[in-house]
C-alpha cells in the first residue's frame, strides 16, 4: 500500500430486515465518525473509506459478506453486527483469516475472541444495574419475554440469576417469540401476565417486533407505573417505531441515551442531524458504532497500519472521549469501560435518566464480580 492510498474499512450493518432500525443508526454512527476523521485530514493524510454491504439482518449473510470483505476486498478491519447470532456467525471468519471485528452492541457476555473488540455493554454494565434498580423500586417477581435466538436466552438467564438473589423473588413466565412476531403473538402472553401480575416484565425482544410487544402491553391496559417493562434493547430507535405514548414510563438500562447532558454529546448530535437530517434516532448502538471508529483511527495513526498484530498494541488500553463519557478498551478482555445508566422513557420519545454511574465500570464479561459502580441517585423524578 502506498503511503497516500486510502485506508479501507469494512462495514456490515443491516440496512434492511427486522433489525434495520438499529442497523441504520449504527451505519450513521460509523459514517459520521468517518466524516469527522476525514475532515480533520484523514489518517495522517490518508482518506478513510467505507466498503459497505447490507447483511439484511441475516446471520448467514453476515458470514458470507465478512468473507467477501476479507478475501475479495482485502479488508483487515470490519465494523458491524447487531444480533449476537450475527456476531457468532462472523467470528469464525475473522478468526480464520486473523482479521479484526469491532462489535458495537450490548450482548450476553461469556465470550472472548482475540479477533473481536467489544464496545457495547457486557451484563455487569447493564443487567446488574437494571436488576438492582427494578427489584429495589418494583419488586423481584419477574416475567421474561424475548426474541427466539441466543442473546435473549442468555440475557434472561442472567437476569433470572440476578433477580433470584433478591428476597421474595419469583420467575412467573418465560417466552420466546419469532423475530417477526406481531401484536397478536404477544396478546396471548398479555393474558398470562394479567393473571400472574409480575412486579415487572423483562424484555429481550429485539428489532421490529419490539413495537408489537409494547403495543400489545398498552392495548391490554397495563400501567407502567405499577408493572413496567424493563429492557436492555429498547432504545430511542424502537420508541420512534412504536410511538412515544406507547413507550412512556418503561425502563431501559444503557451506557448512552440521547438525553445525556454534556457539550460533547450535544455537538455530536448536532453534527449527526446536519449530516443525516432530523429523522434519525441515535441510541446506545449508534454511539458505540461512532466511537469505535475513532478508537480505531487513533490506533491506526500510531501503528501506521491496520494489520491486527500491529494495531492491537495501540488499540488495547486506549481511551476516547465518547458522548457517554471517557471510554477505555480493556487490554485484558477486549471489552470497554462504560457508564451504566437507567432511563425511563418520556413523552418526548427519549429517556429521562433516573440513575447513572459516576465512573466508568470495568467490563467483566464472565460476571465474576457484580460491580454496580458508584450510583448517583436521581430518584426524585421517579413517582412509583
Ligand atoms: C444482541 O443480540 N446482542 C442484542
Amino acid at each position: 500500500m502506498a503511503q497516500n492510498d486510502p485506508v479501507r474499512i469494512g462495514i456490515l450493518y443491516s440496512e434492511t430486515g427486522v433489525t434495520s432500525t438499529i442497523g441504520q443508526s449504527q451505519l450513521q454512527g460509523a459514517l459520521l465518525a468517518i466524516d469527522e476523521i476525514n475532515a480533520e485530514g484523514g489518517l495522517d493524510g490518508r482518506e478513510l473509506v467505507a466498503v459497505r454491504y447490507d447483511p439484511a439482518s441475516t446471520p448467514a449473510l453476515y458470514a458470507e459478506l465478512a468473507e467477501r470483505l476479507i478475501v475479495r476486498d482485502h479488508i483487515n478491519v470490519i465494523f458491524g453486527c447487531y444480533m449476537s447470532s450475527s456476531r457468532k456467525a462472523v467470528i469464525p471468519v475473522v478468526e480464520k483469516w486473523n482479521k479484526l471485528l469491532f462489535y458495537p452492541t450490548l450482548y450476553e457476555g461469556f465470550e472472548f475472541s482475540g479477533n473481536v473488540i467489544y464496545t457495547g455493554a457486557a451484563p455487569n454494565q447493564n443487567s446488574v444495574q437494571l436488576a438492582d434498580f427494578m427489584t429495589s423500586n418494583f419488586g423481584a417477581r419477574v416475567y421474561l419475554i424475548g426474541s427466539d435466538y441466543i442473546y435473549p436466552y442468555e440475557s434472561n438467564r442472567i437476569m433470572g440469576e440476578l433477580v433470584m438473589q433478591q428476597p421474595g423473588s419469583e420467575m412467573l413466565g418465560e417466552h420466546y417469540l419469532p423475530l417477526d412476531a406481531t401484536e397478536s403473538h404477544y396478546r396471548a402472553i398479555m393474558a398470562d401476565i394479567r393473571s400472574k401480575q409480575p412486579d415487572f416484565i423483562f424484555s429481550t425482544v429485539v428489532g421490529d417486533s419490539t413495537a408489537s410487544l409494547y403495543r400489545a402491553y398498552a392495548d391490554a391496559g397495563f400501567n407502567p407505573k405499577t408493572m413496567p417493562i424493563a429492557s436492555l434493547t429498547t432504545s430511542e430507535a424502537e420508541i420512534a417505531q412504536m410511538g412515544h405514548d406507547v413507550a412512556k414510563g418503561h425502563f431501559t438500562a444503557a451506557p448512552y441515551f440521547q438525553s445525556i447532558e454534556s457539550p460533547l454529546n450535544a455537538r455530536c448530535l448536532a453534527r449527526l442531524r446536519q449530516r443525516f437530517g432530523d429523522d434519525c434516532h441515535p441510541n446506545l448502538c449508534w454511539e458505540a458504532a461512532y466511537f469505535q471508529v475513532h478508537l480505531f483511527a487513533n490506533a491506526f495513526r500510531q501503528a501506521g497500519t491496520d494489520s491486527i498484530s500491529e494495531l492491537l498494541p495501540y488499540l488495547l488500553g486506549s481511551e476516547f472521549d465518547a458522548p457517554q463519557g471517557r471510554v477505555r478498551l480493556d487490554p485484558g478482555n477486549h471489552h470497554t469501560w462504560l457508564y451504566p445508566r437507567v432511563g425511563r422513557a418520556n413523552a418526548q420519545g427519549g429517556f429521562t435518566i433516573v440513575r447513572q454511574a459516576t465512573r466508568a465500570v470495568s467490563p467483566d464479561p464472565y460476571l465474576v464480580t457484580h460491580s454496580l459502580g458508584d450510583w448517583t441517585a436521581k430518584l426524585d423524578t421517579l413517582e412509583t
Side-chain angles (χ1 to χ4, degrees):
M1 243 187 315
Q3 272 322 89
N4 55 1
D5 279 353
V7 177
R8 294 154 65 250
I9 53 174
I11 304 269
L12 291 181
Y13 293 125
S14 291
E15 299 171 54
T16 57
V18 288
T19 63
S20 60
T21 306
I22 288 289
Q24 301 267 13
S25 72
Q26 290 175 310
L27 178 63
Q28 289 173 349
L31 294 178
L32 179 66
I34 291 170
D35 276 6
E36 289 175 357
I37 290 158
N38 287 331
E40 287 171 13
L43 301 175
D44 295 328
R46 297 172 65 178
E47 188 189 359
L48 186 58
V49 172
V51 180
R52 111 187 190 215
Y53 299 118
D54 173 15
S57 310
T58 309
L61 205 48
Y62 272 92
E64 188 184 315
L65 294 172
E67 188 117 15
R68 185 191 297 182
L69 282 169
I70 293 166
V71 175
R72 199 185 75 178
D73 301 320
H74 307 292
I75 295 289
N76 285 335
V77 180
I78 297 171
F79 298 79
C81 302
Y82 174 64
M83 283 190 285
S84 288
S85 45
S86 63
R87 183 192 71 261
K88 295 275 188 199
V90 168
I91 286 176
V93 180
V94 290
E95 288 186 342
K96 177 172 79 172
W97 298 100
N98 196 26
K99 304 299 181 188
L100 193 59
L101 170 70
F102 278 80
Y103 178 60
T105 310
L106 74 298
Y107 85 111
E108 63 281 3
F110 294 87
E111 184 182 288
F112 171 80
S113 167
N115 294 79
V116 180
I117 296 291
Y118 304 80
T119 58
N124 78 302
Q125 297 166 314
N126 56 7
S127 304
V128 167
Q129 292 76 10
L130 189 62
D132 178 53
F133 181 87
M134 296 309 293
T135 55
S136 53
N137 285 290
F138 294 95
R141 296 169 63 258
V142 62
Y143 198 105
L144 309 171
I145 308 177
S147 299
D148 189 8
Y149 75 102
I150 181 167
Y151 158 76
Y153 282 97
E154 291 302 302
S155 184
N156 282 340
R157 178 183 59 75
I158 293 163
M159 182 56 73
E161 286 176 7
L162 293 169
V163 168
M164 285 305 172
Q165 295 170 13
Q166 302 301 321
S169 62
E170 232 179 315
M171 198 78 74
L172 297 171
E174 183 169 1
H175 292 278
Y176 297 92
L177 279 87
L179 283 159
D180 59 358
T182 60
E183 227 179 294
S184 70
H185 285 94
Y186 291 110
R187 224 167 273 144
I189 298 179
M190 292 306 144
D192 190 40
I193 287 175
R194 189 184 305 284
S195 72
K196 300 213 169 122
Q197 293 289 318
D199 295 326
F200 72 99
I201 298 161
F202 180 52
S203 164
T204 46
V205 171
V206 305
D208 291 344
S209 67
T210 308
S212 304
L213 164 66
Y214 284 70
R215 283 195 191 122
Y217 172 104
D219 289 349
F222 296 142
N223 184 355
K225 281 195 173 161
T226 52
M227 188 188 66
I229 304 174
S231 169
L232 309 169
T233 46
T234 303
S235 76
E236 293 89 338
E238 286 79 10
I239 288 177
Q241 281 187 303
M242 72 181 75
H244 303 175
D245 284 357
V246 172
K248 188 171 168 246
H250 296 296
F251 292 89
T252 295
Y256 176 83
F257 294 110
Q258 271 177 49
S259 55
I260 289 172
E261 285 177 23
S262 75
L264 197 146
N265 183 40
R267 282 199 301 275
C268 200
L269 289 173
R271 284 194 298 272
L272 177 79
R273 301 217 154 95
Q274 207 172 19
R275 169 78 160 77
F276 295 102
D278 285 333
D279 191 30
C280 47
H281 308 287
N283 57 72
L284 69 164
C285 298
W286 163 81
E287 193 241 8
Y290 165 79
F291 77 67
Q292 65 178 11
V293 177
H294 278 291
L295 282 167
F296 160 79
N298 289 341
F300 183 97
R301 289 185 185 106
Q302 292 174 278
T305 168
D306 65 0
S307 97
I308 181 169
S309 59
E310 289 168 86
L311 195 65
L312 276 180
Y314 293 101
L315 205 49
L316 298 176
S318 70
E319 300 186 358
F320 182 72
D321 284 321
Q324 68 174 275
R326 173 161 281 233
V327 298
R328 173 173 188 264
L329 282 184
D330 192 278
N333 60 30
H334 284 209
H335 290 63
T336 309
W337 292 58
L338 301 169
Y339 298 81
R341 292 179 165 94
V342 176
R344 182 180 49 183
N346 57 38
Q348 291 74 44
F351 287 91
T352 302
I353 297 170
V354 292
R355 228 170 176 197
Q356 61 185 348
T358 55
R359 59 179 167 84
V361 169
S362 65
D364 179 15
Y366 290 89
L367 269 181
V368 179
T369 59
H370 293 178
S371 161
L372 280 171
D374 298 323
W375 283 111
T376 55
K378 284 194 179 173
L379 294 169
D380 49 311
T381 54
L382 192 69
E383 321 121 7
T384 55

